[in-house]
Amino acid sequence: MAEPMKIRATLQGDVADVRILMLHPMETGQRKDSKGQIIPMHFIQSVVVTHNGKTVLDTQWSQAVSRNPFLGLRVKGAKAGDRISVTWTDNKGDKRTDEVAVAAAS
Amino acid sequence: MNPYRRSLLAFAGGAGTLVIAAAAGLLRTGQAWAATWNKAGFESKAMADVMKSLGATGAAESKDIVITAPDIAENGAVVPIAVTSRIPGTQQISIVAEKNPFPLAATFDVAGGGEGYVSTRIKMGQTSDVWAIVKAGGKVFTARKEVKITVGGCG
């Protein structure tokens, strides 16, 4: 079910620019299927981003975040090769963690 | 109400104790989220209730918060929103779309080396003000920007 995330972390000076793309339906609980039944809510509730094991961003989301959510953030004091790890949890208890290394500025 | 939890409960009621135990385990994790997830805020339908849940009633506007969003978004299902807070010691950034069925869209807790910048994409039902609510050093600041929506993204 849980597809891998696409994470990109590039260094700009001493700040890492992190871009995350998650694959998730993010159902609002307001849409109906072809039979007129409401499609139940299914959305990511929390995303935690860590830098070398230390939490830098802890998010709480509602169903109003778009399908296949994008999250961008900046991490100060990062160096090339640092580990950026992202974990999301949805309202059905599904989880997914992916990790990347910070790439040097190109 | 979580429909998945309901169906699980119904299922557990019909099956053996093993399944009940498993369902109980799931319920516990559900409660664990409820402790951290701002349920009251995310489920309130009125802007005033959202502000209250964030402790932002009557908060001052700040020019140090920059909301980057399109003036006109053609597709309400994907509205790119970025919030930059230049207020020192920014701890939390929330994004609120005032006229959505549930206005509070997202809350970001910034910690450690995180900068006061987040960027994401949200759904908006109709043209409305988008608020950024920033907590820094025990104080709350707000900023807002109107985004016009051509086709709503909640249906």
Side-chain angles (χ1 to χ4, degrees):
Chain A
M1 167 68 227
E3 307 272 345
M5 282 177 257
K6 287 178 187 162
I7 310 173
R8 190 166 295 171
T10 34
L11 210 56
Q12 289 171 348
D14 68 340
V15 176
D17 184 33
V18 183
R19 289 150 184 272
I20 307 152
L21 193 62
M22 293 156 245
L23 294 171
H24 200 278
M26 299 299 281
E27 283 297 344
T28 58
Q30 303 205 8
R31 284 184 345 130
K32 289 178 180 165
D33 64 14
S34 51
K35 291 181 195 128
Q37 300 284 310
I38 286 177
I39 304 170
M41 273 202 215
H42 186 202
F43 62 97
I44 294 177
Q45 275 190 314
S46 118
V47 184
V48 177
V49 183
T50 65
H51 168 230
N52 285 342
K54 217 174 97 205
T55 302
V56 286
L57 191 72
D58 185 348
T59 79
Q60 301 169 48
W61 279 359
S62 75
Q63 62 279 13
V65 174
S66 299
R67 191 155 67 95
N68 296 340
F70 167 81
L71 174 63
L73 68 142
R74 293 181 190 139
V75 181
K76 274 184 281 196
K79 291 189 290 292
D82 283 1
R83 309 300 299 176
I84 299 283
S85 162
V86 183
T87 305
W88 60 251
T89 312
D90 71 15
N91 65 328
K92 294 186 180 178
D94 272 349
K95 269 185 186 197
R96 169 98 205 171
T97 303
D98 284 294
E99 199 180 68
V100 292
V102 176
S106 50
Chain B
M1 182 71 71
N2 181 341
Y4 181 67
R5 200 186 290 170
R6 288 300 113 194
S7 62
L8 246 185
L9 270 179
F11 178 58
T17 42
L18 201 68
V19 183
I20 291 173
L26 269 175
L27 274 175
R28 262 202 300 281
T29 48
Q31 280 156 359
W33 299 330
T36 50
W37 202 63
N38 180 5
K39 198 167 190 295
F42 283 116
E43 287 184 357
S44 41
K45 297 185 177 181
M47 191 66 194
D49 295 341
V50 171
M51 296 299 252
K52 210 194 226 167
S53 79
L54 293 170
T57 310
E61 287 202 24
S62 167
K63 288 196 168 62
D64 289 325
I65 306 168
V66 180
I67 304 175
T68 313
D71 293 326
I72 300 174
E74 290 198 1
N75 181 1
V78 184
V79 185
I81 309 270
V83 178
T84 311
S85 162
R86 289 193 294 262
I87 302 167
T90 296
Q91 292 158 331
Q92 190 184 65
I93 299 173
S94 299
I95 298 175
V96 182
E98 189 171 343
K99 287 189 187 156
N100 267 10
F102 300 97
L104 181 57
T107 298
F108 302 88
D109 287 319
V110 181
E115 258 193 9
Y117 163 86
V118 285
S119 150
T120 188
R121 300 191 295 216
I122 65 167
K123 295 172 208 155
M124 286 175 67
Q126 54 178 303
T127 298
S128 108
D129 278 351
V130 172
W131 292 68
I133 294 157
V134 173
K135 276 185 203 170
K139 286 192 182 159
V140 186
F141 302 93
T142 63
R144 60 173 146 169
K145 178 186 189 338
E146 190 187 34
V147 178
K148 289 194 166 69
I149 303 293
T150 315
V151 181
C154 282

